[in-house]
Amino acid sequence: MRHARRRAVRRVTRLAAAVGLLLGGAMVARAAGADETPAAGPGRPGDTGAALVARLGTARTAGSWIGADGRAVVAVTDGAAARAVRRAGAGAKTVAHSMDELKSATAALRSAPRVPGTAWAVDYRTNRVVVRADRTVSAGDWSRLGRVAHRAGGFVRMERTKGVFTTRLNGARPILSAGGRCSAGFNVTDGRTDFILTAGHCGPAGAAWFAGGLGGRPLGTTVDSAFPGGDFSLVRYSGGTAGAGADVVAVGGGKGVRITGAADPAVGQRVFRSGSTSGLRDGRVTALDATVNYPEGTVTGLVETTVCAEPGDSGGPLFAEGIALGVTSGGDGDCTTGGTTFFQPVTEALSALGVRLVPAAGDTGGGARAGTSSPTVSPDAVRALPARLADVRNTGPGLLVIAGSLLALAATRYLRAERDRRAYRRRYSATWN
């Protein structure tokens, strides 16, 4: 009877230890992945930061971005907000000016007389509004804009650029019209007809488009366009359908990237752009909701990046990890010296035009829609994995469970071995006697 109870206790202990090992392993894996900031869609890099900013409000926060370790960082204005951000698993940086103050400064700049060749955006990481002017801006206009910036607040920084802010008219595939050459962005649909989503400055409604290269077959006609204000347009395919490979954007060399969803980018995110002039290029998002005063007009709500672009790249796709992020609008510099490039956010364009991305091959769910995607893990998150595993605050509870389970298994094996050793000694002693 006593031996039966002992066997039952040992079996229960071993079972509990095995369950503990599984549970502890799951806890460590969960902790390692809890702070991952995937690249787009439901796994957008800015999901945690954006959600915290929305919850805490613009009076207590001043934007969010992706840190060097792949984790979201939120700019906050008080200690309570910082503690709330850290409890949520993100980093917190205390700053002097709230988003309300920063937006007040950009509103003052927008209400001032328009100066072509200027642009501004909120730099979340430095807690400043950065105003840039290209070489076409006169000293008088620069001085007048400087006075507006000074009245808006001491956190407005003025900078001169060497290039000229222009639309990149003149890739993804090249598409041609009477106005010049652009690049095809993303294929989209309203459920009945397929279209090309490209830049609005590429051509007004009614503009006819032809495929690039020899032959120049008719491609389609612009049926809706927004520029200035926004910078997006729809080119309806002449045949009504985009054809095979409609969910793939060309990146050069006969290669392409399949697009599975659309999302908004996050500051600090690594992104890629394809264009018919300069091919595939990459860089980082530096600001959101940027304003650019092109010679043709002012465009607001743009994504500011370090990706280079050249004439003819207009309308080309901006993406990351197979997620559509924007279409090329304009900027300064080139792909030899570098520069700043601005993009029209794709989610805003899809919503305004009432279309969605053409379904990915094999997608029977009606196609990818704005803000949806399959989860992916960014390279930055993979590089940050060792740091998360080494952080005892993340993995400590799971490691304790694993350690306890291993001790329990070791104890049961020791007790069983000791029992067998004593039994052998008793039997050997009896035989020898």
PDB file of all heavy atoms in Angstrom, residues 244-280:
ATOM      1  N   ALA A 244      -2.590  38.851 -65.093  1.00  0.00           N
ATOM      2  CA  ALA A 244      -1.826  37.977 -64.200  1.00  0.00           C
ATOM      3  C   ALA A 244      -0.757  38.769 -63.457  1.00  0.00           C
ATOM      4  O   ALA A 244      -0.197  39.736 -63.976  1.00  0.00           O
ATOM      5  CB  ALA A 244      -1.177  36.855 -65.004  1.00  0.00           C
ATOM      6  N   GLY A 245      -0.485  38.358 -62.222  1.00  0.00           N
ATOM      7  CA  GLY A 245       0.533  39.016 -61.417  1.00  0.00           C
ATOM      8  C   GLY A 245       0.130  40.391 -60.925  1.00  0.00           C
ATOM      9  O   GLY A 245       0.992  41.215 -60.601  1.00  0.00           O
ATOM     10  N   ALA A 246      -1.166  40.641 -60.832  1.00  0.00           N
ATOM     11  CA  ALA A 246      -1.645  41.971 -60.427  1.00  0.00           C
ATOM     12  C   ALA A 246      -1.304  42.310 -58.986  1.00  0.00           C
ATOM     13  O   ALA A 246      -1.311  43.485 -58.609  1.00  0.00           O
ATOM     14  CB  ALA A 246      -3.157  42.062 -60.634  1.00  0.00           C
ATOM     15  N   ASP A 247      -1.011  41.304 -58.172  1.00  0.00           N
ATOM     16  CA  ASP A 247      -0.692  41.558 -56.769  1.00  0.00           C
ATOM     17  C   ASP A 247       0.805  41.686 -56.528  1.00  0.00           C
ATOM     18  O   ASP A 247       1.249  41.699 -55.383  1.00  0.00           O
ATOM     19  CB  ASP A 247      -1.255  40.432 -55.895  1.00  0.00           C
ATOM     20  CG  ASP A 247      -0.699  39.061 -56.272  1.00  0.00           C
ATOM     21  OD1 ASP A 247      -0.376  38.866 -57.460  1.00  0.00           O
ATOM     22  OD2 ASP A 247      -0.581  38.194 -55.390  1.00  0.00           O
ATOM     23  N   VAL A 248       1.596  41.816 -57.595  1.00  0.00           N
ATOM     24  CA  VAL A 248       3.054  41.897 -57.490  1.00  0.00           C
ATOM     25  C   VAL A 248       3.527  43.247 -58.019  1.00  0.00           C
ATOM     26  O   VAL A 248       3.059  43.713 -59.058  1.00  0.00           O
ATOM     27  CB  VAL A 248       3.720  40.753 -58.294  1.00  0.00           C
ATOM     28  CG1 VAL A 248       5.238  40.892 -58.280  1.00  0.00           C
ATOM     29  CG2 VAL A 248       3.305  39.400 -57.729  1.00  0.00           C
ATOM     30  N   VAL A 249       4.468  43.885 -57.290  1.00  0.00           N
ATOM     31  CA  VAL A 249       5.102  45.108 -57.785  1.00  0.00           C
ATOM     32  C   VAL A 249       6.498  44.761 -58.276  1.00  0.00           C
ATOM     33  O   VAL A 249       7.213  43.974 -57.650  1.00  0.00           O
ATOM     34  CB  VAL A 249       5.161  46.209 -56.702  1.00  0.00           C
ATOM     35  CG1 VAL A 249       3.772  46.665 -56.315  1.00  0.00           C
ATOM     36  CG2 VAL A 249       5.931  45.756 -55.475  1.00  0.00           C
ATOM     37  N   ALA A 250       6.877  45.347 -59.412  1.00  0.00           N
ATOM     38  CA  ALA A 250       8.180  45.065 -60.003  1.00  0.00           C
ATOM     39  C   ALA A 250       9.269  45.792 -59.245  1.00  0.00           C
ATOM     40  O   ALA A 250       9.095  46.942 -58.835  1.00  0.00           O
ATOM     41  CB  ALA A 250       8.183  45.495 -61.470  1.00  0.00           C
ATOM     42  N   VAL A 251      10.413  45.123 -59.047  1.00  0.00           N
ATOM     43  CA  VAL A 251      11.546  45.741 -58.347  1.00  0.00           C
ATOM     44  C   VAL A 251      12.812  45.700 -59.197  1.00  0.00           C
ATOM     45  O   VAL A 251      13.891  46.008 -58.708  1.00  0.00           O
ATOM     46  CB  VAL A 251      11.792  45.056 -56.988  1.00  0.00           C
ATOM     47  CG1 VAL A 251      10.609  45.259 -56.072  1.00  0.00           C
ATOM     48  CG2 VAL A 251      12.112  43.567 -57.160  1.00  0.00           C
ATOM     49  N   GLY A 252      12.683  45.328 -60.476  1.00  0.00           N
ATOM     50  CA  GLY A 252      13.833  45.305 -61.365  1.00  0.00           C
ATOM     51  C   GLY A 252      14.421  43.922 -61.526  1.00  0.00           C
ATOM     52  O   GLY A 252      14.221  43.034 -60.683  1.00  0.00           O
ATOM     53  N   GLY A 253      15.116  43.712 -62.626  1.00  0.00           N
ATOM     54  CA  GLY A 253      15.754  42.425 -62.871  1.00  0.00           C
ATOM     55  C   GLY A 253      14.771  41.293 -63.073  1.00  0.00           C
ATOM     56  O   GLY A 253      15.108  40.128 -62.837  1.00  0.00           O
ATOM     57  N   GLY A 254      13.555  41.625 -63.501  1.00  0.00           N
ATOM     58  CA  GLY A 254      12.542  40.596 -63.688  1.00  0.00           C
ATOM     59  C   GLY A 254      11.964  40.047 -62.413  1.00  0.00           C
ATOM     60  O   GLY A 254      11.242  39.043 -62.432  1.00  0.00           O
ATOM     61  N   LYS A 255      12.253  40.691 -61.290  1.00  0.00           N
ATOM     62  CA  LYS A 255      11.770  40.224 -59.997  1.00  0.00           C
ATOM     63  C   LYS A 255      10.647  41.116 -59.480  1.00  0.00           C
ATOM     64  O   LYS A 255      10.458  42.241 -59.952  1.00  0.00           O
ATOM     65  CB  LYS A 255      12.914  40.191 -58.982  1.00  0.00           C
ATOM     66  CG  LYS A 255      14.054  39.248 -59.353  1.00  0.00           C
ATOM     67  CD  LYS A 255      15.171  39.291 -58.323  1.00  0.00           C
ATOM     68  CE  LYS A 255      16.307  38.357 -58.701  1.00  0.00           C
ATOM     69  NZ  LYS A 255      17.411  38.406 -57.706  1.00  0.00           N
ATOM     70  N   GLY A 256       9.905  40.588 -58.510  1.00  0.00           N
ATOM     71  CA  GLY A 256       8.806  41.352 -57.937  1.00  0.00           C
ATOM     72  C   GLY A 256       8.548  40.966 -56.500  1.00  0.00           C
ATOM     73  O   GLY A 256       9.078  39.973 -56.005  1.00  0.00           O
ATOM     74  N   VAL A 257       7.741  41.768 -55.835  1.00  0.00           N
ATOM     75  CA  VAL A 257       7.338  41.519 -54.449  1.00  0.00           C
ATOM     76  C   VAL A 257       5.817  41.426 -54.398  1.00  0.00           C
ATOM     77  O   VAL A 257       5.115  42.318 -54.893  1.00  0.00           O
ATOM     78  CB  VAL A 257       7.822  42.656 -53.521  1.00  0.00           C
ATOM     79  CG1 VAL A 257       7.252  42.484 -52.115  1.00  0.00           C
ATOM     80  CG2 VAL A 257       9.343  42.697 -53.476  1.00  0.00           C
ATOM     81  N   ARG A 258       5.311  40.340 -53.820  1.00  0.00           N
ATOM     82  CA  ARG A 258       3.864  40.167 -53.700  1.00  0.00           C
ATOM     83  C   ARG A 258       3.341  41.056 -52.573  1.00  0.00           C
ATOM     84  O   ARG A 258       3.864  41.060 -51.461  1.00  0.00           O
ATOM     85  CB  ARG A 258       3.514  38.708 -53.444  1.00  0.00           C
ATOM     86  CG  ARG A 258       2.029  38.463 -53.201  1.00  0.00           C
ATOM     87  CD  ARG A 258       1.631  37.011 -53.410  1.00  0.00           C
ATOM     88  NE  ARG A 258       1.560  36.673 -54.826  1.00  0.00           N
ATOM     89  CZ  ARG A 258       2.418  35.881 -55.455  1.00  0.00           C
ATOM     90  NH1 ARG A 258       3.420  35.333 -54.782  1.00  0.00           N
ATOM     91  NH2 ARG A 258       2.285  35.617 -56.741  1.00  0.00           N
ATOM     92  N   ILE A 259       2.293  41.800 -52.853  1.00  0.00           N
ATOM     93  CA  ILE A 259       1.684  42.713 -51.887  1.00  0.00           C
ATOM     94  C   ILE A 259       0.461  42.040 -51.269  1.00  0.00           C
ATOM     95  O   ILE A 259      -0.444  41.604 -51.987  1.00  0.00           O
ATOM     96  CB  ILE A 259       1.285  44.040 -52.555  1.00  0.00           C
ATOM     97  CG1 ILE A 259       2.513  44.713 -53.168  1.00  0.00           C
ATOM     98  CG2 ILE A 259       0.613  44.958 -51.557  1.00  0.00           C
ATOM     99  CD1 ILE A 259       3.609  45.045 -52.177  1.00  0.00           C
ATOM    100  N   THR A 260       0.454  41.917 -49.959  1.00  0.00           N
ATOM    101  CA  THR A 260      -0.604  41.181 -49.270  1.00  0.00           C
ATOM    102  C   THR A 260      -1.526  42.051 -48.427  1.00  0.00           C
ATOM    103  O   THR A 260      -2.494  41.564 -47.874  1.00  0.00           O
ATOM    104  CB  THR A 260       0.011  40.111 -48.357  1.00  0.00           C
ATOM    105  OG1 THR A 260       0.843  40.759 -47.376  1.00  0.00           O
ATOM    106  CG2 THR A 260       0.850  39.124 -49.150  1.00  0.00           C
ATOM    107  N   GLY A 261      -1.243  43.331 -48.298  1.00  0.00           N
ATOM    108  CA  GLY A 261      -2.092  44.201 -47.482  1.00  0.00           C
ATOM    109  C   GLY A 261      -1.603  45.626 -47.546  1.00  0.00           C
ATOM    110  O   GLY A 261      -0.609  45.942 -48.201  1.00  0.00           O
ATOM    111  N   ALA A 262      -2.314  46.509 -46.873  1.00  0.00           N
ATOM    112  CA  ALA A 262      -1.962  47.930 -46.837  1.00  0.00           C
ATOM    113  C   ALA A 262      -1.990  48.417 -45.405  1.00  0.00           C
ATOM    114  O   ALA A 262      -2.772  47.941 -44.587  1.00  0.00           O
ATOM    115  CB  ALA A 262      -2.948  48.737 -47.689  1.00  0.00           C
ATOM    116  N   ALA A 263      -1.111  49.372 -45.087  1.00  0.00           N
ATOM    117  CA  ALA A 263      -1.040  49.882 -43.720  1.00  0.00           C
ATOM    118  C   ALA A 263      -0.361  51.247 -43.729  1.00  0.00           C
ATOM    119  O   ALA A 263       0.169  51.697 -44.745  1.00  0.00           O
ATOM    120  CB  ALA A 263      -0.265  48.914 -42.828  1.00  0.00           C
ATOM    121  N   ASP A 264      -0.382  51.908 -42.580  1.00  0.00           N
ATOM    122  CA  ASP A 264       0.345  53.163 -42.405  1.00  0.00           C
ATOM    123  C   ASP A 264       1.737  52.853 -41.867  1.00  0.00           C
ATOM    124  O   ASP A 264       1.886  51.994 -40.997  1.00  0.00           O
ATOM    125  CB  ASP A 264      -0.390  54.077 -41.418  1.00  0.00           C
ATOM    126  CG  ASP A 264      -1.732  54.538 -41.962  1.00  0.00           C
ATOM    127  OD1 ASP A 264      -1.806  54.849 -43.165  1.00  0.00           O
ATOM    128  OD2 ASP A 264      -2.707  54.587 -41.188  1.00  0.00           O
ATOM    129  N   PRO A 265       2.758  53.552 -42.341  1.00  0.00           N
ATOM    130  CA  PRO A 265       4.114  53.319 -41.834  1.00  0.00           C
ATOM    131  C   PRO A 265       4.309  53.944 -40.471  1.00  0.00           C
ATOM    132  O   PRO A 265       3.459  54.706 -39.992  1.00  0.00           O
ATOM    133  CB  PRO A 265       4.989  54.003 -42.885  1.00  0.00           C
ATOM    134  CG  PRO A 265       4.133  55.114 -43.401  1.00  0.00           C
ATOM    135  CD  PRO A 265       2.723  54.579 -43.391  1.00  0.00           C
ATOM    136  N   ALA A 266       5.436  53.639 -39.836  1.00  0.00           N
ATOM    137  CA  ALA A 266       5.793  54.220 -38.547  1.00  0.00           C
ATOM    138  C   ALA A 266       7.154  54.893 -38.665  1.00  0.00           C
ATOM    139  O   ALA A 266       7.999  54.464 -39.454  1.00  0.00           O
ATOM    140  CB  ALA A 266       5.850  53.137 -37.469  1.00  0.00           C
ATOM    141  N   VAL A 267       7.353  55.938 -37.901  1.00  0.00           N
ATOM    142  CA  VAL A 267       8.639  56.629 -37.893  1.00  0.00           C
ATOM    143  C   VAL A 267       9.720  55.651 -37.437  1.00  0.00           C
ATOM    144  O   VAL A 267       9.559  54.936 -36.446  1.00  0.00           O
ATOM    145  CB  VAL A 267       8.593  57.852 -36.964  1.00  0.00           C
ATOM    146  CG1 VAL A 267       9.988  58.463 -36.802  1.00  0.00           C
ATOM    147  CG2 VAL A 267       7.634  58.894 -37.505  1.00  0.00           C
ATOM    148  N   GLY A 268      10.823  55.608 -38.171  1.00  0.00           N
ATOM    149  CA  GLY A 268      11.904  54.687 -37.864  1.00  0.00           C
ATOM    150  C   GLY A 268      11.839  53.388 -38.631  1.00  0.00           C
ATOM    151  O   GLY A 268      12.803  52.615 -38.624  1.00  0.00           O
ATOM    152  N   GLN A 269      10.734  53.117 -39.313  1.00  0.00           N
ATOM    153  CA  GLN A 269      10.577  51.860 -40.041  1.00  0.00           C
ATOM    154  C   GLN A 269      11.445  51.846 -41.302  1.00  0.00           C
ATOM    155  O   GLN A 269      11.562  52.849 -42.007  1.00  0.00           O
ATOM    156  CB  GLN A 269       9.109  51.675 -40.435  1.00  0.00           C
ATOM    157  CG  GLN A 269       8.816  50.383 -41.184  1.00  0.00           C
ATOM    158  CD  GLN A 269       7.345  50.255 -41.548  1.00  0.00           C
ATOM    159  OE1 GLN A 269       6.558  51.169 -41.315  1.00  0.00           O
ATOM    160  NE2 GLN A 269       6.971  49.136 -42.130  1.00  0.00           N
ATOM    161  N   ARG A 270      12.049  50.707 -41.606  1.00  0.00           N
ATOM    162  CA  ARG A 270      12.776  50.550 -42.860  1.00  0.00           C
ATOM    163  C   ARG A 270      11.781  50.249 -43.965  1.00  0.00           C
ATOM    164  O   ARG A 270      10.921  49.372 -43.834  1.00  0.00           O
ATOM    165  CB  ARG A 270      13.797  49.410 -42.771  1.00  0.00           C
ATOM    166  CG  ARG A 270      14.705  49.329 -43.997  1.00  0.00           C
ATOM    167  CD  ARG A 270      15.584  48.103 -43.955  1.00  0.00           C
ATOM    168  NE  ARG A 270      16.497  48.080 -45.096  1.00  0.00           N
ATOM    169  CZ  ARG A 270      17.149  47.002 -45.507  1.00  0.00           C
ATOM    170  NH1 ARG A 270      17.005  45.848 -44.854  1.00  0.00           N
ATOM    171  NH2 ARG A 270      17.959  47.057 -46.539  1.00  0.00           N
ATOM    172  N   VAL A 271      11.900  50.984 -45.086  1.00  0.00           N
ATOM    173  CA  VAL A 271      10.944  50.861 -46.182  1.00  0.00           C
ATOM    174  C   VAL A 271      11.695  50.758 -47.510  1.00  0.00           C
ATOM    175  O   VAL A 271      12.872  51.098 -47.609  1.00  0.00           O
ATOM    176  CB  VAL A 271       9.976  52.066 -46.213  1.00  0.00           C
ATOM    177  CG1 VAL A 271       9.043  52.038 -45.011  1.00  0.00           C
ATOM    178  CG2 VAL A 271      10.745  53.391 -46.256  1.00  0.00           C
ATOM    179  N   PHE A 272      10.976  50.307 -48.539  1.00  0.00           N
ATOM    180  CA  PHE A 272      11.533  50.148 -49.873  1.00  0.00           C
ATOM    181  C   PHE A 272      10.646  50.871 -50.886  1.00  0.00           C
ATOM    182  O   PHE A 272       9.426  50.921 -50.733  1.00  0.00           O
ATOM    183  CB  PHE A 272      11.627  48.663 -50.237  1.00  0.00           C
ATOM    184  CG  PHE A 272      12.552  47.881 -49.352  1.00  0.00           C
ATOM    185  CD1 PHE A 272      12.106  47.371 -48.137  1.00  0.00           C
ATOM    186  CD2 PHE A 272      13.871  47.665 -49.723  1.00  0.00           C
ATOM    187  CE1 PHE A 272      12.962  46.667 -47.310  1.00  0.00           C
ATOM    188  CE2 PHE A 272      14.732  46.952 -48.900  1.00  0.00           C
ATOM    189  CZ  PHE A 272      14.275  46.455 -47.688  1.00  0.00           C
ATOM    190  N   ARG A 273      11.290  51.399 -51.913  1.00  0.00           N
ATOM    191  CA  ARG A 273      10.562  52.062 -52.992  1.00  0.00           C
ATOM    192  C   ARG A 273      11.065  51.526 -54.321  1.00  0.00           C
ATOM    193  O   ARG A 273      12.269  51.304 -54.515  1.00  0.00           O
ATOM    194  CB  ARG A 273      10.782  53.576 -52.952  1.00  0.00           C
ATOM    195  CG  ARG A 273      10.141  54.289 -54.136  1.00  0.00           C
ATOM    196  CD  ARG A 273      10.742  55.654 -54.386  1.00  0.00           C
ATOM    197  NE  ARG A 273      12.174  55.630 -54.621  1.00  0.00           N
ATOM    198  CZ  ARG A 273      12.758  55.230 -55.754  1.00  0.00           C
ATOM    199  NH1 ARG A 273      12.016  54.773 -56.753  1.00  0.00           N
ATOM    200  NH2 ARG A 273      14.071  55.249 -55.880  1.00  0.00           N
ATOM    201  N   SER A 274      10.147  51.337 -55.277  1.00  0.00           N
ATOM    202  CA  SER A 274      10.524  50.915 -56.615  1.00  0.00           C
ATOM    203  C   SER A 274      10.076  51.981 -57.604  1.00  0.00           C
ATOM    204  O   SER A 274       8.985  52.535 -57.476  1.00  0.00           O
ATOM    205  CB  SER A 274       9.873  49.575 -56.965  1.00  0.00           C
ATOM    206  OG  SER A 274      10.287  49.135 -58.240  1.00  0.00           O
ATOM    207  N   GLY A 275      10.939  52.286 -58.571  1.00  0.00           N
ATOM    208  CA  GLY A 275      10.606  53.284 -59.569  1.00  0.00           C
ATOM    209  C   GLY A 275      11.227  52.948 -60.904  1.00  0.00           C
ATOM    210  O   GLY A 275      12.263  52.270 -60.971  1.00  0.00           O
ATOM    211  N   SER A 276      10.631  53.442 -61.992  1.00  0.00           N
ATOM    212  CA  SER A 276      11.109  53.084 -63.319  1.00  0.00           C
ATOM    213  C   SER A 276      12.417  53.764 -63.670  1.00  0.00           C
ATOM    214  O   SER A 276      13.116  53.335 -64.584  1.00  0.00           O
ATOM    215  CB  SER A 276      10.046  53.436 -64.372  1.00  0.00           C
ATOM    216  OG  SER A 276       9.762  54.822 -64.341  1.00  0.00           O
ATOM    217  N   THR A 277      12.789  54.816 -62.950  1.00  0.00           N
ATOM    218  CA  THR A 277      14.058  55.498 -63.222  1.00  0.00           C
ATOM    219  C   THR A 277      15.202  54.917 -62.400  1.00  0.00           C
ATOM    220  O   THR A 277      16.244  54.537 -62.932  1.00  0.00           O
ATOM    221  CB  THR A 277      13.945  57.002 -62.932  1.00  0.00           C
ATOM    222  OG1 THR A 277      12.946  57.566 -63.776  1.00  0.00           O
ATOM    223  CG2 THR A 277      15.274  57.706 -63.189  1.00  0.00           C
ATOM    224  N   SER A 278      15.017  54.840 -61.102  1.00  0.00           N
ATOM    225  CA  SER A 278      16.123  54.473 -60.208  1.00  0.00           C
ATOM    226  C   SER A 278      15.993  53.080 -59.608  1.00  0.00           C
ATOM    227  O   SER A 278      16.833  52.677 -58.804  1.00  0.00           O
ATOM    228  CB  SER A 278      16.256  55.506 -59.081  1.00  0.00           C
ATOM    229  OG  SER A 278      15.036  55.629 -58.372  1.00  0.00           O
ATOM    230  N   GLY A 279      14.957  52.336 -59.967  1.00  0.00           N
ATOM    231  CA  GLY A 279      14.834  50.959 -59.501  1.00  0.00           C
ATOM    232  C   GLY A 279      14.460  50.844 -58.035  1.00  0.00           C
ATOM    233  O   GLY A 279      13.756  51.695 -57.491  1.00  0.00           O
ATOM    234  N   LEU A 280      14.963  49.798 -57.391  1.00  0.00           N
ATOM    235  CA  LEU A 280      14.636  49.518 -55.993  1.00  0.00           C
ATOM    236  C   LEU A 280      15.602  50.256 -55.072  1.00  0.00           C
ATOM    237  O   LEU A 280      16.819  50.117 -55.198  1.00  0.00           O
ATOM    238  CB  LEU A 280      14.700  48.011 -55.732  1.00  0.00           C
ATOM    239  CG  LEU A 280      14.339  47.551 -54.319  1.00  0.00           C
ATOM    240  CD1 LEU A 280      12.858  47.800 -54.051  1.00  0.00           C
ATOM    241  CD2 LEU A 280      14.668  46.080 -54.136  1.00  0.00           C
TER     242      LEU A 280
END
